[in-house]
Amino acid sequence: MTRVAVNGVTGQMGGAVIEAAIDSEVVVGFATSDTDAVDGVPVVHPAEAAAALREYDVDVVVDFAVPEGALTVAEACVEVGVPMVVGTTGFDEDGMGRLKDASEEVPLLKATNFSQGIQVLQRLISEAVETLKDYDLELMETHHNRKVDAPSGTASSILDVIQEERDVEPVYGREGHAPREDDEIGVFARRAGDIRGEHELVLAGNDEVLSLSHRAEDRGVFAAGALDAAAWLVGRDAGWYEFGDVVDA
Ligand SMILES: NC(=O)C1=CN([C@@H]2O[C@H](COP(=O)(O)OP(=O)(O)OC[C@H]3O[C@@H](n4cnc5c(N)ncnc54)[C@H](OP(=O)(O)O)[C@@H]3O)[C@@H](O)[C@H]2O)C=CC1
Ligand SMILES: O=C(O)C1=N[C@H](C(=O)O)C[C@H](O)C1
């Protein structure tokens, strides 16, 4: 069985990964709060991650935490030579650069969304935006009220996909006198209740509206995808990998 360490083990996704681990074993977790164990999994401070990766003979790290915590653990992975799956979102340019540096030393797979449906959605969006060249585009995402980063990592990835096809300028919300420019895309983030994650792209023009959307119904979908990615990553060469590589395998 693949021996997994979970970064952010005390969080919502940390719990979902422990629950989803059937073909793999979560042997240790990292978190900053003063917790000894989660569901029988020992919890270690991220500052001690390198020692724990050795002590628990970890094959791969699965990370759902905060950017600074992910970067601390990525450095430990480099030190010990352990592959890492990064699910945390909200990295700035410097953080992304540090992850890229880590991927030169160990296999590192980063995805803003570990659901297979989002992979397909991104491909459909690419085709729709390429075909419906002059349709207006508006992007919406909705998440639970505890989410701290906005727009979601997935929405940012969808925007990247769109920008590969069309030169659009994101406008994050609108207020007051805000006439729409032809080359803009409105991006909207809603936060409410325990909504797991909804993303929708609307393409409108020529007296018709096309809506492409995805809704995650349980955090288990992300946990299962990340564990699939982890099993796939073990034994690979150092480098930067994406979830599409796993889905297409
Ligand atoms: N890629 C994907 O498919 C998905 C990505 N996500 C992303 O995963 C991340 C976590 O989401 P979620 O579980 O809902 O968030 P939570 O707030 O529930 O959990 C965050 C976890 O990070 C821990 N943490 C805080 N600081 C550090 C640190 N310095 N080092 C290590 N761990 C730390 C917290 O524990 P403590 O305070 O004890 O340290 C907590 O366990 C977010 O960025 C979210 O966007 C979420 C779902 C799917
Ligand atoms: O924080 C979440 O919950 C989620 N975060 C990811 C994101 O920012 O896109 C993925 C998913 O939508 C759930």
Side-chain angles (χ1 to χ4, degrees), residues 49-66:
L53 293 175
R54 289 194 184 95
E55 180 185 344
Y56 290 93
D57 194 18
V58 170
D59 293 319
V60 58
V61 170
V62 172
D63 154 80
F64 290 100
V66 297

Side-chain angles (χ1 to χ4, degrees), residues 89 112-113 143-144 147 149 152-154 196-197 199 222:
T89 57
T112 54
N113 196 304
H143 283 84
H144 52 90
K147 186 162 179 62
D149 55 318
S152 67
T154 309
R196 304 302 204 267
H199 294 88
F222 308 127

Side-chain angles (χ1 to χ4, degrees), residues 12-13 64 87-90 111-115 118 141-144 146-157 191 195-199 214 216 219 222:
Q12 301 178 108
M13 280 306 302
F64 290 100
T88 296
T89 57
T112 54
N113 196 304
F114 281 102
S115 88
I118 285 287
E141 57 98 337
T142 311
H143 283 84
H144 52 90
R146 294 169 303 286
K147 186 162 179 62
V148 291
D149 55 318
S152 67
T154 309
S156 299
S157 296
R191 299 289 175 260
I195 295 168
R196 304 302 204 267
E198 298 177 357
H199 294 88
H214 175 271
R219 292 188 176 87
F222 308 127

